Amino acid sequence: MRAREAGIILGTLPPGTTNSIADVAGVRVGHTTLIRGNGALVRGVGPVRTGVTAILPHDDDLFRLKVPAAASVFNGFGKTIGLVQLAELGQLETPILLTNTLNVGRVADALVAFMVERNPAIGVTTGTVNPVVCECNDGFLNDIGGRHVGEQEVRAALTVAPGTPVLEGNVGAGTGMTTYCFAGGIGTASRCLSPAQGGYTLGALVQSNFGRCGDLIIGGVPVGRELEEQRQKRVAQHVGQEPGREQGSIIVVLATDAPLDARQLGRLARRVPLGLARTGTSGGHGSGDLAIAFSTADRIPHDAGPLVRSVQVLNEQNPAIDGLFAAVVETTEEAVINALCTAHSMDGRDNHWAQALSLVETLAILKRYGRIQ
């Protein structure tokens, strides 16, 4: 059950129709989920609790018609591919793929093959392609060294049909993830600005794998601390988290139909930590945390054209920019909580166990604090 379905209302801006990143027209999300085996770890065999998630900004040829984009790294304990060129050019020319840490190379290779197949000129009569792949570490539950995500799994995620609902929880790249010491994974949310502020939509999708149980805050309520006290810290022990230390990572992808250039998108991405902080994290040393933001309002042609190109961008003197900042904070917060609310308990290698957040206990705590009816 998603947070809003359970009665947990976060923020004040209205969500889009599906309250997901797919509310931004043209954006699609595909998952390939791998779950097989149990018991003792056998490297290269399993147990397997992993996958890949693809975020596609539009239905056109993304290499030929790029979109403006930016990234913000607020804790660089990560192993991504493609952010250097993204930062330099401010353009996204491939889908964004999410997977586990040791699968980044295989996933990037599969993404390059996918792009070359659709654009045979790549590396022949035109330049090469910049694959963007991000990761979190699912090694607690998954045979991460087996690198089980390959070309077949990547292609399956990339061929998602338009209009497909965005699945959440421990699916795709979120399959083996934990959040605040509970089962975690993929979460998403969206917000809509008022007509006076352009009526723009902004959506967020997270690959959530971070946080200590006692730090979890939902709607301003110290839910994690209450749960630890109630259950004598058994939850934190179940997922093997080192007491007193935050570990893991989070990747946040922002999409909007607001006409923003790369500099403005960078400003959005840098607001993501404000939303994460609302959930209780302090961004621990071992947590790799970054955000990528893109706009679907512009198509940047790959081929050489006129000497100059006219582009419309949002006037930052208009209050709409503040509305977008608020939307980033609210969608980031709600996407993390949705990942927690929708994930189910997951076993893993060597009988490791990630327990799902109990909505019954969580709602009882929120009611006691007067946060929900």
Side-chain angles (χ1 to χ4, degrees):
M1 186 179 294
R2 308 184 79 196
R4 283 179 183 260
E5 294 170 351
I8 304 171
I9 308 301
L10 302 171
T12 59
L13 294 173
T17 304
T18 67
N19 193 21
S20 77
I21 195 172
D23 287 329
V24 179
V27 175
R28 290 178 286 150
V29 177
H31 302 293
T32 301
T33 303
L34 300 179
I35 300 176
R36 59 177 181 263
N38 52 60
L41 171 66
V42 179
R43 180 59 57 83
V45 177
V48 179
R49 304 287 188 273
T50 194
V52 59
T53 295
I55 301 98
L56 296 85
H58 60 64
D59 294 329
D60 296 325
D61 184 340
L62 188 54
F63 180 75
R64 292 289 175 185
L65 294 171
K66 311 175 199 302
V67 295
S72 176
V73 178
F74 31 99
N75 194 18
F77 205 120
K79 289 80 180 171
T80 60
I81 286 180
L83 295 193
V84 173
Q85 182 172 309
L86 180 61
E88 180 69 21
L89 302 183
Q91 300 174 3
L92 182 67
E93 62 184 13
T94 73
I96 300 168
L97 296 190
L98 310 177
T99 188
N100 75 54
T101 308
L102 297 186
N103 243 123
V104 169
R106 292 197 71 198
V107 168
D109 181 69
L111 179 55
V112 168
F114 179 86
M115 298 300 294
V116 170
E117 180 180 287
R118 281 153 181 73
N119 290 274
I122 290 175
V124 181
T125 59
T126 191
T128 55
V129 66
N130 180 50
V132 175
V133 183
C134 302
E135 52 75 33
C136 291
N137 187 341
D138 59 15
F140 179 73
L141 296 178
N142 176 51
D143 170 27
I144 192 170
R147 297 181 295 157
H148 297 279
V149 180
E151 187 164 347
Q152 177 180 346
E153 291 76 19
V154 170
R155 286 177 178 269
L158 286 167
T159 53
V160 60
T164 301
V166 182
L167 300 179
E168 294 173 285
N170 22 31
V171 297
T175 303
M177 304 300 170
T178 59
T179 298
Y180 287 106
C181 298
F182 298 96
I186 301 296
T188 187
S190 70
R191 293 292 186 270
C192 298
L193 270 59
S194 67
Q197 293 184 338
Y200 302 120
T201 299
L202 182 140
L205 181 141
V206 301
Q207 180 188 16
S208 184
N209 189 53
F210 73 108
R212 302 183 307 165
C213 177
D215 291 339
L216 173 61
I217 295 173
I218 299 179
V221 174
V223 170
R225 188 179 66 202
E226 292 277 342
L227 289 174
E228 277 195 335
E229 292 174 357
Q230 290 177 15
R231 305 173 69 179
Q232 300 177 343
K233 302 185 179 180
R234 289 196 302 270
V235 172
Q237 294 168 8
H238 277 166
V239 297
Q241 193 108 4
E242 180 185 345
R245 194 106 197 233
E246 180 175 353
Q247 300 174 1
S249 301
I250 184 166
I251 307 298
V252 182
V253 178
L254 303 173
T256 184
D257 56 7
L260 306 178
D261 61 20
R263 181 190 62 80
Q264 294 171 318
L265 289 164
R267 299 191 71 197
L268 295 191
R270 288 191 290 276
R271 265 67 182 179
V272 162
L274 300 176
L276 296 178
R278 285 191 178 188
T279 69
T281 182
S282 57
H285 165 72
S287 184
D289 309 323
L290 64 90
I292 297 174
F294 65 84
S295 169
T296 62
D298 188 22
R299 300 286 191 275
I300 304 171
H302 173 78
D303 296 320
L307 182 61
V308 297
R309 187 172 70 93
S310 297
V311 178
Q312 283 193 328
V313 297
L314 187 71
N315 177 8
E316 294 181 19
Q317 303 310 313
N318 189 287
I321 190 68
D322 295 314
L324 290 170
F325 290 164
V328 169
V329 175
E330 291 190 11
T331 56
T332 300
E333 177 189 20
E334 186 163 342
V336 171
I337 304 306
N338 276 337
L340 276 168
C341 290
T342 56
H344 55 80
S345 296
M346 179 76 72
D347 68 337
R349 59 127 177 137
D350 298 325
N351 297 315
H352 289 179
W353 178 256
Q355 182 172 329
L357 176 72
S358 169
L359 283 178
V360 172
E361 294 179 349
T362 298
L363 292 174
I365 294 169
L366 293 172
K367 287 177 182 178
R368 191 164 69 248
Y369 276 80
R371 183 61 181 83
I372 61 174
Q373 298 298 315

